[in-house]
Amino acid sequence: MNTNLSVEKILRYAVIFLIFISVVFFLLLRGTDIRTVGEALAQTSVPFLAAGVLLAEVFHLAEGINIRILLTSFGYPVTFWQGMKYAYIGFFFSSITPSSTGGQPAQLYAMKKDGIELAHGTLALIAELASFEIAVFFMEILAVAAWIQGNVKPSGELLVLAALGFLMNILFIAGLLSVLFSYRLKERILRILHRLIERFPVGNKKRWEDKIDGAFHDFQTCADLIRREPKVMGKVAAVSICQVICWFSVPYMVYLAMGEYGAGYPQIYLLQTVLYMTAALLPFPGAAGISEYAFVKLFSGVYTGHPIAAVTLVNRGISFYGMLLISAVMMIFLWKYKSNKSGCRNLS
């Protein structure tokens, strides 16, 4: 991870994202009676929509809490609002950049401004991400079991994407845990970095090697702390499970908001889990495009009284676009008014 995310890159990603979303909306609404869609949207239940928004916002809250738990365990006096700032920054930049590549650099930049060492911030983000993916993996196991039993039936390209997404998540989790806890792997990475420094024409190679060695030592110290304090990761894992359950429950609130009652909560939840699996593999900003397409394919059978285009707009409006808007507003607010001007200092 690095902190190189210039204003020019941000603007370019934002423009590309807006163009991409416009194309997605055009394709989604093409051939659909806009008046019928408008009528369906007007009839939605506000209380259930509000419940959906609250469940979606747990995603931000949980990430902010987990980042704070981890950084606090490393000795940084991180406040609740600082943790939330990092969470909102991460969601916003992950959403507008391909393969979510902009989130971590932006978070590390914000942490660095607050006096948090790069190695410590990197480890906190890796641990938080590993916890989230493991929580998702547990849900995916349930979805695969339901899939085998015939209770959930993705077909065609969605079947292939979901299977590949499941396998990729296994490999991704293994990689994250290896980086966290494999000293041998980190030694190999360190040796590779030393060789690169020797081969490339960089000034003061000894200073660069000392800097990398210091970051490696800081990273390993924090990893050892996590290993010695399993309660820390236990808390993070518990928060991540709540985070995933709430986020994957948003489609059921939408289902109730649209006045539909034929399907139960477990079926809707498992369909959402499969949807997440299908979108995990493709490098689209915010999984836009594939998520809408997969939602139409997976959920059209459970909606009988409303056009699926309207349902898709409401669901994605809450579970992604609304969250993106909230993250943008809160990110700006927290950066401007809630920043810890004195920064954080490691206390260990």
Side-chain angles (χ1 to χ4, degrees):
M1 298 180 188
N2 60 61
T3 56
N4 292 326
L5 198 66
S6 64
V7 175
E8 291 78 10
K9 278 187 178 180
I10 294 170
L11 292 176
R12 185 166 68 247
Y13 285 139
V15 170
I16 294 172
F17 176 76
L18 291 173
I19 293 172
F20 189 74
I21 295 305
S22 299
V23 173
V24 169
F25 279 12
F26 171 77
L27 294 175
L28 179 65
L29 296 172
R30 187 179 59 175
T32 303
D33 186 348
I34 301 299
R35 185 176 61 182
T36 305
V37 171
E39 290 174 354
L41 294 176
Q43 294 171 5
T44 54
S45 168
V46 174
F48 282 123
L49 288 179
V53 171
L54 290 176
L55 285 174
E57 187 55 20
V58 171
F59 184 95
H60 291 141
L61 179 65
E63 182 169 350
I65 289 172
N66 275 345
I67 291 174
R68 181 173 183 264
I69 289 172
L70 289 161
L71 290 176
T72 301
S73 73
F74 300 159
Y76 292 99
V78 175
T79 67
F80 169 79
W81 290 113
Q82 278 180 293
M84 292 306 300
K85 178 177 69 175
Y86 305 144
Y88 287 123
I89 288 172
F91 186 89
F92 179 80
F93 286 103
S94 292
S95 298
I96 67 171
T97 53
S99 300
S100 303
T101 52
Q104 289 79 17
Q107 287 173 305
L108 290 173
Y109 174 79
M111 290 178 186
K112 191 175 181 181
K113 296 287 281 186
D114 287 341
I116 296 170
E117 293 293 333
L118 182 63
H120 300 163
T122 300
L123 181 62
L125 295 180
I126 291 175
E128 191 277 329
L129 180 59
S131 177
F132 173 79
E133 293 297 342
I134 290 171
V136 168
F137 180 64
F138 287 140
M139 308 306 162
E140 290 178 344
I141 291 174
L142 296 177
V144 170
W147 180 353
I148 294 172
Q149 294 171 1
N151 297 325
V152 176
K153 302 176 181 179
S155 59
E157 65 276 16
L158 293 187
L159 180 64
V160 175
L161 287 174
L164 290 175
F166 180 69
L167 294 174
M168 286 298 295
N169 199 23
I170 294 174
L171 296 175
F172 189 60
I173 291 170
L176 287 173
L177 293 179
S178 296
V179 171
L180 275 175
F181 300 116
S182 173
Y183 186 83
R184 184 177 299 176
L185 176 62
K186 289 194 281 287
E187 279 282 320
R188 288 179 182 175
I189 294 173
L190 188 61
R191 286 198 295 270
I192 291 172
L193 291 174
H194 276 246
R195 289 197 197 104
L196 290 175
I197 290 173
E198 290 298 324
R199 292 182 180 181
F200 283 93
V202 294
N204 199 339
K205 294 182 179 182
K206 182 65 168 62
R207 183 175 66 85
W208 277 98
E209 289 177 352
D210 290 343
K211 191 173 183 179
I212 290 174
D213 289 342
F216 175 86
H217 178 267
D218 289 342
F219 190 98
Q220 188 59 45
T221 299
C222 292
D224 291 340
L225 177 63
I226 291 176
R227 192 159 38 222
R228 290 196 309 269
E229 299 288 344
K231 289 183 179 179
V232 172
M233 285 307 297
K235 291 178 184 178
V236 171
V239 173
S240 293
I241 290 172
C242 292
Q243 179 185 31
V244 173
I245 290 174
C246 289
W247 196 32
F248 284 8
S249 297
V250 170
Y252 187 66
M253 290 297 106
V254 173
Y255 189 71
L256 297 179
M258 303 297 286
E260 302 268 358
Y261 297 96
Y265 173 75
Q267 181 183 0
I268 301 294
Y269 187 90
L270 291 171
L271 285 173
Q272 172 58 33
T273 306
V274 173
L275 189 153
Y276 182 88
M277 292 163 66
T278 63
L281 201 64
L282 300 179
F284 300 147
I290 181 60
S291 290
E292 286 80 1
Y293 175 76
F295 187 91
V296 170
K297 290 288 186 179
L298 290 170
F299 285 86
S300 57
V302 298
Y303 280 92
T304 58
H306 297 87
I308 194 64
V311 179
T312 307
L313 287 175
V314 174
N315 183 76
R316 284 289 282 172
I318 293 175
S319 64
F320 177 65
Y321 299 108
M323 292 175 66
L324 183 60
L325 179 61
I326 291 172
S327 67
V329 173
M330 291 301 296
M331 174 182 67
I332 294 170
F333 173 78
L334 292 175
W335 191 283
K336 190 171 182 180
Y337 296 105
K338 288 287 186 177
S339 290
N340 185 349
K341 295 181 180 179
S342 60
C344 290
R345 294 189 181 277
N346 181 257
L347 301 180
S348 59

